[in-house]
Amino acid sequence: MCTSISYRKKDLYFGRNLDLEFSYHEQVVITPRNHLFHLRNGEDFYNKYALIGIATVIGDYPLYYEASNEKGLVMAGLNFPGNACYLSPKEGAVNVTPFEFIPWLLGQAETIMEIKELLQNLNLTNISFAKELPLSPLHFMISDQTSSIVIEPMEDGLHIYDNPYDVMTNNPPFEYHLWNINNYRNLTPHVGTNNFSSNYELQTYCVGMGAIGLPGDASSASRFVRAAFHLTNAPKEDTEDANVTQVFHILDSVSMLKGSTLTQEKKNDMTLYSCCINASKGIFYYKTYDNSQIHAVYLDHVDLNSDGLSCYDLKKEQRIHYQN
């Protein structure tokens, strides 16, 4: 379970909640330019653009959950079980594995238009990183300064959707979410009017009544509607701090609380971390479930032409400022 959003003012801010029952020891990871990736199709790939995002690093290989490149293009993989389908390598196709997908795209593209060109002959293959680390069933959201798309690898091929809502969650497939949101066309951030009947003088007794019916549960369909409603009506602020704060508040509105949602194995599905990437400036902000203080890592504060990855452990212990 996860939620991602794109919020635009002058800059592009990409927000994401990672909802999972356990951690893979993820870190904030900066991949410099011209980092060597040995692709499973037998080719070597050197990324043209530096990346910053959260990844699990195994053997100097960053397995990115989401990332932004230095050109302001950002991408995230979200859980898509039961629908995601990866295929065997195909002769004549561009064969890329899901764990290579984020650095492969962000390492060479600057815009959504370029992404769509790269996807034309793409085949996402069913090759795992290691026997003990099987492939995660994923679909993907990609955003630039002007638009967002969703990519869903399914049994009948690769589905690519324009994403006018700048929101993505999980199952069902994205086409369902595009239709389901029609059920909430009556919602408004305003007080609302009496559409029930002109025969009754129905009273407005508090603010917020225009949004009665906004779903509050943790299902992916409900989180999609809730995130889209808050994102669409969120004011665009004038300062970096205010915009970052607004993104985190939107993410908080769809976060998973420990104890509120259990997996089939009766484990807590919870928001392990929330992040906000200023993709335009290369600043990665995050907070964790146990530490609500916002931390920041700057892409351009490291040598982007260096030889190795720059990794930063997530600060997970709560920090409380005592005033007296």
Side-chain angles (χ1 to χ4, degrees), residues 25-323:
H25 308 292
E26 55 275 352
Q27 300 172 296
V28 180
V29 179
I30 295 175
T31 299
R33 306 178 189 114
N34 299 310
H35 187 77
L36 174 60
F37 291 87
H38 294 291
L39 302 182
R40 295 303 173 92
N41 64 13
E43 298 179 1
D44 287 342
F45 172 74
Y46 294 86
N47 56 301
K48 189 189 329 186
Y49 304 124
L51 314 177
I52 185 170
I54 284 192
T56 295
V57 178
I58 301 177
D60 201 41
Y61 197 107
L63 300 170
Y64 276 109
Y65 304 6
E66 74 283 317
S68 174
N69 69 15
E70 60 183 293
K71 297 298 182 178
L73 188 67
V74 61
M75 178 176 180
L78 279 69
N79 201 27
F80 195 45
N83 283 303
C85 182
Y86 308 128
L87 306 175
S88 299
K90 294 180 182 178
E91 186 175 351
V94 179
N95 294 296
V96 177
T97 69
F99 64 83
E100 297 165 341
F101 197 29
I102 290 179
W104 185 78
L105 283 178
L106 297 186
Q108 59 182 320
E110 296 186 36
T111 64
I112 294 292
M113 185 177 298
E114 292 180 13
I115 290 288
K116 289 182 176 180
E117 290 291 325
L118 290 169
L119 294 176
Q120 287 187 3
N121 195 30
L122 178 76
N123 180 42
L124 279 180
T125 62
N126 53 9
I127 302 173
S128 61
F129 183 81
K131 289 183 179 179
E132 64 276 10
L133 197 62
L135 290 173
S136 298
L138 301 174
H139 57 174
F140 303 87
M141 177 169 162
I142 307 177
S143 299
D144 65 11
Q145 186 63 49
T146 62
S147 62
S148 297
I149 61 172
V150 167
I151 303 169
E152 296 188 330
M154 300 178 70
E155 190 174 2
D156 60 345
L158 203 65
H159 295 251
I160 303 168
Y161 302 93
D162 291 325
N163 183 355
Y165 298 103
D166 288 317
V167 172
M168 191 170 80
T169 55
N170 311 103
N171 286 324
F174 191 67
E175 195 170 36
Y176 168 87
H177 294 290
L178 291 176
W179 177 252
N180 179 60
I181 203 165
N182 287 295
N183 292 317
Y184 300 92
R185 63 187 301 272
N186 62 300
L187 299 181
T188 173
H190 303 289
V191 173
T193 58
N194 174 18
N195 295 317
F196 188 87
S197 173
S198 59
N199 295 328
Y200 308 105
E201 294 184 6
L202 301 182
Q203 300 299 311
T204 298
Y205 54 82
C206 67
V207 298
M209 293 182 67
I212 290 177
L214 181 68
D217 61 88
S219 69
S220 57
S222 293
R223 282 184 286 109
F224 186 98
V225 173
R226 198 157 66 251
F229 179 79
H230 292 313
L231 179 65
T232 298
N233 293 296
K236 302 302 189 290
E237 305 291 352
D238 294 325
T239 67
E240 177 74 1
D241 287 353
N243 282 311
V244 171
T245 299
Q246 187 68 32
V247 170
F248 277 111
H249 278 305
I250 296 171
L251 293 175
D252 285 343
S253 75
V254 289
S255 66
M256 308 280 280
L257 305 181
K258 187 185 294 185
S260 66
T261 306
L262 301 179
T263 66
Q264 291 183 343
E265 295 78 20
K266 297 184 179 180
K267 295 181 179 179
N268 287 303
D269 195 356
M270 60 184 183
T271 300
L272 294 182
Y273 70 79
S274 301
C275 67
C276 169
I277 311 173
N278 183 328
S280 305
K281 291 186 171 65
I283 310 173
F284 190 95
Y285 302 92
Y286 75 89
K287 63 179 183 177
T288 67
Y289 191 91
D290 293 316
N291 182 1
S292 52
Q293 182 181 26
I294 297 173
H295 298 262
V297 179
Y298 286 75
L299 177 63
D300 62 2
H301 284 193
V302 304
D303 181 2
L304 298 182
N305 295 306
S306 63
D307 293 330
L309 304 175
S310 299
C311 302
Y312 304 87
D313 290 335
L314 300 188
K315 304 298 183 182
K316 296 183 178 181
E317 294 184 0
Q318 187 65 276
R319 299 186 178 188
I320 300 174
H321 176 68
Y322 296 93
Q323 291 189 276

